[in-house]
């Protein structure tokens, strides 16, 4: 079955960096688009970044220039590199994909930006 496993979250000071990997299994990763979403306390889940199977990327305006999504097809892993983190980036970050018409989510990883 499809599994997405995120890791790499934690507590970081404002201005710091984190890299979140999401390891995928049960899909043909190299031909599958991948997404990162996040959900802050009391807010709706929102799209942060996406990457297509051919490497085209898109970002939410709030993270452009600070976050980078990239993929390693040899490792079946998509990454979210987060730089210049702000307190408003605090959220649970989720990996998402779609396969055979169904949406799949990871369990999420907590990112807290605080001094």
């Amino acid at each position: 079955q499809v599994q997405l496993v995120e890791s790499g979250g934690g507590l970081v000071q404002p201005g710091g960096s984190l890299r979140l990997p999401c390891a995928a299994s049960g899909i043909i990763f190299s031909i599958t688009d991948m997404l990162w979403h996040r959900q802050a306390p009391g807010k709706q889940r929102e799209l942060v970044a996406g990457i297509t199977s051919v490497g085209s990327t898109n970002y939410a305006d709030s993270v452009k220039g600070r976050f980078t999504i990239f993929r390693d097809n040899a490792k079946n892993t998509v990454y979210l590199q987060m730089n210049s983190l702000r307190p408003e980036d605090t959220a649970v970050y989720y990996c998402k994909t779609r396969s055979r018409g169904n949406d799949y989510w990871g369990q999420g990883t907590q990112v807290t930006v605080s001094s």
Side-chain angles (χ1 to χ4, degrees):
Q1 77 268 25
V2 178
Q3 269 197 312
L4 301 174
V5 181
E6 306 97 332
S7 60
L11 174 64
V12 63
Q13 291 189 341
S17 298
L18 282 175
R19 178 177 291 183
L20 307 181
C22 169
S25 59
I27 58 173
I28 305 174
F29 184 80
S30 62
I31 62 170
T32 305
D33 299 346
M34 301 296 296
L35 302 168
W36 280 99
H37 284 68
R38 68 184 180 187
Q39 187 165 19
K43 294 189 175 181
Q44 288 191 325
R45 196 171 294 192
E46 62 175 354
L47 176 65
V48 175
I51 185 167
T52 69
S53 60
V54 296
S56 297
T57 59
N58 64 283
Y59 299 92
D61 287 344
S62 59
V63 307
K64 277 180 184 175
R66 301 188 298 122
F67 290 12
T68 302
I69 186 171
F70 61 99
R71 63 194 297 156
D72 184 339
N73 289 343
K75 295 183 178 180
N76 283 7
T77 300
V78 61
Y79 300 89
L80 186 67
Q81 176 67 42
M82 306 186 295
N83 298 330
S84 302
L85 282 161
R86 304 167 179 168
E88 54 263 39
D89 295 317
T90 295
V92 179
Y93 284 73
Y94 297 91
C95 185
K96 178 191 174 184
T97 193
R98 170 165 284 204
S99 177
R100 297 186 178 91
N102 296 313
D103 288 337
Y104 297 92
W105 295 85
Q107 83 287 352
T109 186
Q110 175 70 48
V111 172
T112 302
V113 185
S114 175
S115 55

